[in-house]
Amino acid sequence: MNRRSHDRATRRNEVFNKVFDAHWAPVRHHIEWIVDDDAEVSETLSEVFLLAWARLDPERPMGLVWLLRAADARLHGRARRPCPRTKALDAVHEGLGGDPLSIGVVGRAAVREAFVALSGRERRIIMLTHWDGLSVGEIAEVLRRPHPWVSRILSRAQDKLRLRLDVEGGRDD
């Protein structure tokens, strides 16, 4: 191996390590919303980062949006859970302006019921916002939709949830 190819390989490793360190936890968190089994979460996460390694361009490393799309592509064939996980319900409730200490079992049931009443795209955008912590712009990139479309769907979904849950709006208008 000559010096130039060694430098290129070293650079590639350094860039991949930065991508991995910066995005491993958020991608795992995203996968955990859909997958219950820890072994399957780890396997899917490994597949996503193996793909990232194979397609890595050290000059233009992929970001979180690319990795979330790759995870979604891996998970596309899976049946979506009909009811969200407990931690996800808590995240949605808190994100809507609800008191995180007051949710309890009854509150989670109400959030689950309100959440299931949303359309699929509304649920997806709510989860990307409150579970994954993405901004409207990042969600627009992940979904490959215009920013105003995502903003409108998010606003409508949050209003529906607040109305069903009788939670005061925490919107910044």
Side-chain angles (χ1 to χ4, degrees), residues 11-25:
R11 170 87 173 121
R12 182 177 166 83
N13 287 337
E14 289 171 356
V15 169
F16 180 78
N17 286 338
K18 287 180 183 176
V19 168
F20 183 85
D21 290 345
H23 302 301
W24 177 87

Side-chain angles (χ1 to χ4, degrees), residues 33 36 79-85 112-113 115-117 123:
W33 156 243
D36 282 329
R80 299 290 171 150
R81 293 175 49 93
C83 296
R85 296 170 140 205
R112 179 178 292 117
E113 184 180 305
F115 190 79
V116 172
R123 284 192 301 270

Side-chain angles (χ1 to χ4, degrees), residues 35-150:
V35 178
D36 282 329
D37 181 37
D38 279 341
E40 193 175 349
V41 169
S42 295
E43 182 179 331
T44 304
L45 190 61
S46 297
E47 290 172 0
V48 168
F49 279 100
L50 183 61
L51 178 64
W53 171 256
R55 295 192 178 172
L56 180 67
D57 175 358
E59 302 306 316
R60 294 185 47 184
M62 60 277 298
L64 180 60
V65 169
W66 188 94
L67 294 164
L68 292 178
R69 282 186 190 149
D72 285 346
R74 292 276 182 255
L75 297 168
H76 183 71
R78 290 186 52 85
R80 299 290 171 150
R81 293 175 49 93
C83 296
R85 296 170 140 205
T86 301
K87 287 189 267 183
L89 293 172
D90 293 349
V92 169
H93 181 262
E94 188 174 343
L96 293 172
D99 179 8
L101 301 176
S102 70
I103 188 165
V105 176
V106 174
R108 280 189 196 96
V111 175
R112 179 178 292 117
E113 184 180 305
F115 190 79
V116 172
L118 297 175
S119 71
R121 71 175 165 214
E122 289 170 334
R123 284 192 301 270
R124 176 91 170 114
I125 290 172
I126 287 290
M127 291 315 298
L128 287 169
T129 301
H130 299 294
W131 177 251
D132 290 317
L134 299 181
S135 69
V136 171
E138 290 169 323
I139 295 169
E141 285 184 60
V142 168
L143 299 178
R144 296 181 177 163
R145 294 295 211 147
H147 187 283
W149 181 88
V150 172

